[in-house]
Amino acid sequence: MTVVTRFAPSPTGFLHIGGARTALFNWLFSRHHGGRFLLRIEDTDRARSSEAAVRAILDGLSWLGLEWDGEPLSQFSRRERHAEVAQALLAKGHAYRCYCTPEELTAMRERALAEGRTIRYEGTWRDRDPGDAPKGAPYAIRLRAPTEGETVVDDLIQGQVRVGNEQLDDMILLRADGTPTYMLAVVVDDHDMGITHVIRGDDHLTNTFRQRQIYDGMGWDAPAFAHLSLIHGPDGAKLSKRHGALGVDAYRDMGYLPEALRNYLLRLGWSHGDDEIIPTEQAIAWFGLENVGRSPARFDFDKLASLNGHYMRQADDERLATLVMDRLPAVLGAAPEAGAAERIRRGMGHLKERAKTLIDLAEAAAFYARPRPLTLNDKALKILDEAGRRTVTEVGGAIAAAEWTAEALEAAVRGFAETRGLKLGAVAQPIRAAVTGSNASPPIFDVMAILGREETLGRLSDVAK
RNA sequence: GUCCCCAUCGUCUAGAGGCCUAGGACACCACCCUUUCAAGGUGGCGACACGGGUUCGAAUCCCGUUGGGGACGCCA
């Protein structure tokens, strides 16, 4: 049997991090089994769905590298099929017409609440003669759920979960306006799409019991279910939009690489012994539902950053240079100097060693793109005191005629320091401050080599005494 | 309120009854390396929520308590 999974977001906003993990696990599972990974947009709620949100979700998935098979399916486009199934259920006697008005239902809920009873549909029309209904009155179709016994779900992650049927009321399948509810639509679509494994958030676990009853009513085999525990915020609270849940685009903007986010998300709830660095190819080879944990996890930016640092060090210099150039105008507040792209490309090997995000990287690279004279930060200013400036002046003269390579420059500066009885650091730091405007930078001789003779000497003379 | 799920260092986790004096990673601290900052290396700090069982033996199994989360819509 070919494995078919799906990711089924509702287009009411961006692709948030929890959804991204759900999508990742579905994708990984299908790829591991050589199966298919489908996309379905749950847009039956027309009022809350938007094209822009669909776009944002698709973009988010693409950026994350989770390519889906085939075209995304619009759930709304299948509304007639959903209605057809509701009618079939009606014909089989597994559903019935309910003429209650929304007002009556609200009243019913409030009464239950006031009396401290469980909020459930009381089954007003379950066994009532439809002939009692006012002529031409609108009606919804409800599932005639079993009232005795229990409904059992064998969840691949949560294990066997069961609930007494008396807990479940008769849910609406088809609204009075003829549109399907989510409960009906998911079941019909998952069935028709041939989904073999439904991997989704834990918040759907209790829904599964009711969906199970629809499968049973239609005599369909239900897919296997696997419910992922939710991701919480750093404070342990639910990661909701109100609590600052972010779309994957926000993570991109914060300078994280998609492969780092994939690795991070993978380890949130899934493990393979003590392994931490798990590139995607390896993840596909290893992934399985047996190793998914059951407890909820909190989101930890520090760990993401650490992983991101790792993947940046592995990343191709050319690619990183391009990403940095994209961000540079914002960092500089101006267009980069001519030649900046080339310098940054050449300096990337050392730059990427010392950054955790692309934001760090762009900031660290900025000195390659700034115009003279450089603005010095506080630490650089402190290094370039009276003595520091004198050192810079003298060393400028000492290296002016040197061969312009990192090795030759280092030899020249070391020689200079030795003749003055200075430690290398006492010379290198003032140079660094003058050349980069900062107290911290990639190895200074490499920086000088990349900057070139003219620019380097110019920057030195800008602060010279 | 009712039902469902969860519970190992601050965080992510390993752990399938003896291999556990509970391992790894992130973060933090110290040291080493070093032209700075990183990276890297070494070491340190740090957890089985609580209470009962079961068992020769429990982080692992059972029950309860507590705590956290989720679901109870003509939303998805």
Side-chain angles (χ1 to χ4, degrees):
Chain A
M1 181 181 70
T2 306
V3 164
V4 183
T5 64
R6 47 63 159 191
F7 177 56
S10 57
T12 53
F14 43 57
L15 173 64
H16 64 83
I17 206 70
R21 187 184 57 156
T22 300
L24 173 67
F25 282 26
N26 273 287
W27 181 80
L28 247 17
F29 189 74
S30 72
R31 290 294 175 267
H32 175 82
H33 290 285
R36 287 162 59 76
F37 170 61
L38 308 179
L39 208 53
R40 183 174 72 228
I41 307 298
E42 310 229 313
D43 52 359
T44 52
D45 185 347
R46 302 313 286 169
R48 302 206 304 175
S49 299
S50 79
E51 248 332 288
V54 173
R55 200 62 257 159
I57 289 167
L58 262 36
D59 287 349
L61 289 172
S62 298
W63 177 73
L64 253 188
L66 307 182
E67 67 281 354
W68 55 91
D69 297 309
E71 285 302 304
L73 179 71
S74 156
Q75 187 158 69
F76 179 70
S77 73
R78 295 182 30 86
R79 57 194 179 282
E80 281 168 29
R81 165 63 176 154
H82 302 144
E84 185 184 304
V85 171
Q87 292 300 336
L89 252 7
L90 199 56
K92 287 166 176 272
H94 289 308
Y96 60 91
R97 295 186 173 88
C98 169
Y99 292 89
C100 288
T101 63
E103 293 71 34
E104 286 174 311
L105 295 174
T106 306
M108 193 182 293
R109 263 191 292 278
E110 281 169 0
R111 219 178 310 128
L113 208 60
E115 292 168 20
R117 284 183 290 114
T118 305
I119 300 170
R120 292 176 53 229
Y121 175 65
E122 290 164 9
T124 319
W125 288 90
R126 185 181 169 103
D127 299 308
R128 205 162 151 190
D129 183 352
D132 289 354
K135 266 264 177 297
Y139 61 87
I141 295 181
R142 283 186 187 267
L143 182 76
R144 189 188 303 278
T147 53
E148 291 172 348
E150 56 181 13
T151 298
V152 180
V153 171
D154 285 303
D155 192 279
L156 262 22
I157 293 172
Q158 306 292 342
Q160 188 172 81
V161 187
R162 45 181 69 221
V163 71
N165 285 335
E166 71 283 355
Q167 297 296 333
L168 274 17
D169 63 359
D170 293 344
M171 67 181 144
I172 290 184
L173 301 173
L174 207 63
R175 300 186 185 103
D177 65 2
T179 60
T181 59
Y182 162 76
M183 288 293 180
L184 206 221
V186 218
V187 171
V188 175
D189 290 346
D190 283 339
H191 172 266
D192 289 359
M193 290 165 83
I195 304 300
T196 58
H197 298 260
V198 171
I199 304 169
R200 82 237 287 198
D202 202 40
D203 48 340
H204 289 284
L205 183 58
T206 50
N207 286 334
T208 310
F209 297 116
R210 332 184 68 153
Q211 290 165 201
R212 170 92 237 184
Q213 295 179 338
I214 300 180
Y215 283 103
D216 292 346
M218 287 302 290
W220 290 341
D221 286 333
F225 292 101
H227 288 91
L228 265 7
S229 53
L230 271 16
I231 298 175
H232 292 175
D235 59 350
K238 185 187 179 185
L239 194 62
S240 68
K241 285 165 195 171
R242 312 181 266 293
H243 285 88
L246 303 165
V248 295
D249 58 313
Y251 292 86
R252 183 189 57 211
D253 293 345
M254 285 186 280
Y256 298 108
L257 259 21
E259 60 267 41
L261 195 54
R262 282 199 298 270
N263 193 151
Y264 178 72
L265 253 18
L266 174 68
R267 288 288 291 108
L268 227 45
W270 180 86
S271 60
H272 184 271
D274 285 338
D275 294 304
E276 296 287 348
I277 303 287
I278 307 168
T280 302
E281 281 310 308
Q282 187 59 258
I284 290 172
W286 282 343
F287 192 79
L289 262 13
E290 325 76 58
N291 300 313
V292 174
R294 282 184 295 269
S295 49
R298 297 186 188 197
F299 199 90
D300 179 12
F301 279 98
D302 281 335
K303 188 147 182 179
L304 207 211
S306 163
L307 240 15
N308 202 59
H310 170 83
Y311 282 100
M312 287 213 300
R313 274 171 255 133
Q314 307 273 300
D316 176 65
D317 290 353
E318 199 74 27
R319 173 188 172 204
L320 292 176
T322 303
L323 291 169
V324 163
M325 288 307 289
D326 289 345
R327 287 167 184 269
L328 228 36
V331 173
L332 262 26
E337 288 292 288
E342 175 59 19
R343 290 176 186 165
I344 289 171
R345 203 172 307 127
R346 289 179 58 201
M348 189 51 72
H350 284 121
L351 286 170
K352 69 184 182 183
E353 290 283 329
R354 20 187 71 68
K356 288 210 185 307
T357 67
L358 291 172
I359 292 180
D360 296 346
L361 192 61
E363 278 167 5
F367 74 86
Y368 277 128
R370 291 190 200 278
R372 285 179 52 203
L374 251 36
T375 304
L376 309 176
N377 74 13
D378 290 349
K379 299 247 178 74
L381 242 20
K382 212 166 161 191
I383 292 166
L384 291 170
D385 55 8
E386 193 76 14
R389 285 176 195 260
R390 197 168 325 125
T391 302
V392 168
T393 310
E394 292 171 8
V395 84
I399 62 173
E403 185 198 345
W404 213 259
T405 64
E407 298 71 31
L409 287 165
E410 176 166 357
V413 173
R414 277 186 191 276
F416 171 84
E418 217 165 300
T419 59
R420 300 301 162 104
L422 294 170
K423 296 178 86 169
L424 183 55
V427 182
Q429 278 304 82
I431 296 175
R432 187 188 316 279
V435 168
T436 70
S438 164
N439 59 309
S441 82
I444 193 61
F445 305 114
D446 293 284
V447 168
M448 292 160 82
I450 289 167
L451 243 19
R453 187 189 309 268
E454 190 188 343
E455 180 70 19
T456 301
L457 294 177
R459 290 186 182 194
L460 290 177
S461 70
D462 288 341
V463 303
K465 183 108 177 90

